[in-house]
Amino acid sequence: MKQDIGYVQSMGGNQTWITEVTLLGFQVSPALELFLFGLFCLFYTLTLLGNGVILGLICLDSRLHTPMYFFLSHLAIVDMSYASNNVPKMLANLVKLKRTISFVPCIMQTFLYLAFAHIECLILVAMSYDRFVAICHPLHYTVIMNWRICTVLASTSWVFSFLLALVHLILILRLPFCGPHEINHFFCEILSVLKLACADTGLNQVVIFAACVFILVGPVCLVLVSYSRILFAILRIQSGEGRRKAFSTCSSHLCVVGLFFGSAIVMYMAPKSRHPEEQQKILSLFYSLFNPLLNPLIYSLRNAEVKGALRRALYKQRHM
């Protein structure tokens, strides 16, 4: 047995299997690690606070009980879950000398990371469809985007995303993992985990690429088609106030879509650079921490209805 270095001897002979792995994280000086710990801890707190405020406002303010904010509440839940899956372990490793994680929790982190990423993609598509119907078919909006349709779209996004992540998980678990027992990342990202396998990962790579086409390229095409139609509809609006309101709402959503899909496509579908692992860390950090932090800021700062709901909530609090 070699449990002390993260391996266990298999029953079949000389083959060894990983029981824990080391997350190398950011290989910088101790002083910079402390600075990054403070910075990322602040960002993580703001992420939870910002998305929590958005979620609370949507639940408490009846004026925000509309399909658009229904999907936005799901986005806030996903962003908090997504960040909480990756960031706490990263923060702990920045201040600990032993940066190991048991293999089973590592695989579970990979599974949840994939599931929440897929959900965010599909929720963003549902939000673009909602804006398309609201602007291009305003007279039929309440009929098309009824609560039954919204509930079906949201629940389908969650169920399908977890099933797709489960497919990745099953394909990972069929592989033998015998080393190295180091992951050059700050969490158990799927591409980094596959490098630990001592067997052919070709099938995994094909499924990852196919999932990217379905979850990233397909939704991006749908969003672009929706917003090209929306743009033409906005330009036909006679009222200047109506045009400004439509542009404000849609530009907020487009910012979020561009940030998330752009970083994910570069991460999984763009040609690899000469430093792919460092590139992966930066991009993963972007959509694990920065994107969930920016989403509530984008929607609150550029959305008059959210700002109005926040003002009403603060006013009620002061006069209680």
Side-chain angles (χ1 to χ4, degrees), residues 154-225:
S155 58
T156 301
S157 298
W158 282 82
V159 172
F160 177 80
S161 298
F162 272 94
L163 288 176
L164 184 55
L166 184 61
V167 171
H168 289 294
L169 178 66
I170 293 170
L171 290 176
I172 289 173
L173 292 178
R174 74 182 177 87
L175 297 170
F177 289 92
C178 51
H181 66 290
E182 291 182 342
I183 293 179
N184 190 10
H185 215 297
F186 60 85
F187 76 105
C188 294
E189 191 271 331
I190 185 169
L191 297 179
S192 299
V193 170
L194 289 178
K195 293 177 181 177
L196 304 179
C198 50
D200 181 34
T201 60
L203 178 60
N204 299 74
Q205 300 288 350
V206 169
V207 172
I208 290 171
F209 184 81
C212 287
V213 172
F214 185 78
I215 288 291
L216 293 176
V217 179
V220 164
C221 292
L222 290 174
V223 169
L224 291 177
V225 170

Side-chain angles (χ1 to χ4, degrees), residues 44-234:
Y44 179 55
T45 303
L46 292 175
T47 296
L48 297 182
L49 181 62
N51 284 287
V53 167
I54 291 284
L55 186 61
L57 289 174
I58 293 171
C59 292
L60 296 174
D61 197 312
S62 59
R63 300 185 195 186
L64 300 183
H65 293 174
T66 63
M68 184 179 107
Y69 293 104
F70 171 74
F71 292 123
L72 183 56
S73 68
H74 281 268
L75 188 65
I77 293 170
V78 171
D79 280 340
M80 288 190 289
S81 303
Y82 197 59
S84 297
N85 182 53
N86 300 340
V87 177
K89 184 63 178 175
M90 177 186 72
L91 293 175
N93 286 344
L94 284 171
V95 293
K96 283 167 51 179
L97 292 177
K98 187 179 180 182
R99 300 175 177 182
T100 57
I101 180 173
S102 297
F103 193 65
V104 172
C106 179
I107 294 297
M108 284 306 300
Q109 189 182 55
T110 303
F111 170 72
L112 292 174
Y113 146 76
L114 290 170
F116 292 134
H118 295 157
I119 294 168
E120 181 143 358
C121 291
L122 297 178
I123 290 295
L124 289 173
V125 174
M127 291 175 72
S128 70
Y129 178 68
D130 171 72
R131 291 300 84 204
F132 166 73
V133 176
I135 294 172
C136 297
H137 304 283
L139 299 179
H140 304 288
Y141 178 70
T142 54
V143 176
I144 298 174
M145 295 303 295
N146 58 65
W147 284 111
R148 180 176 172 273
I149 293 295
C150 293
T151 304
V152 168
L153 287 173
S155 58
T156 301
S157 298
W158 282 82
V159 172
F160 177 80
S161 298
F162 272 94
L163 288 176
L164 184 55
L166 184 61
V167 171
H168 289 294
L169 178 66
I170 293 170
L171 290 176
I172 289 173
L173 292 178
R174 74 182 177 87
L175 297 170
F177 289 92
C178 51
H181 66 290
E182 291 182 342
I183 293 179
N184 190 10
H185 215 297
F186 60 85
F187 76 105
C188 294
E189 191 271 331
I190 185 169
L191 297 179
S192 299
V193 170
L194 289 178
K195 293 177 181 177
L196 304 179
C198 50
D200 181 34
T201 60
L203 178 60
N204 299 74
Q205 300 288 350
V206 169
V207 172
I208 290 171
F209 184 81
C212 287
V213 172
F214 185 78
I215 288 291
L216 293 176
V217 179
V220 164
C221 292
L222 290 174
V223 169
L224 291 177
V225 170
S226 296
Y227 275 94
S228 62
R229 297 280 301 275
I230 288 170
L231 179 61
F232 287 121
I234 289 175

Side-chain angles (χ1 to χ4, degrees), residues 311-320:
R311 282 195 295 268
R312 288 191 293 273
L314 294 175
Y315 180 81
K316 286 181 183 178
Q317 188 68 27
R318 284 199 300 267
H319 290 80
M320 284 181 65

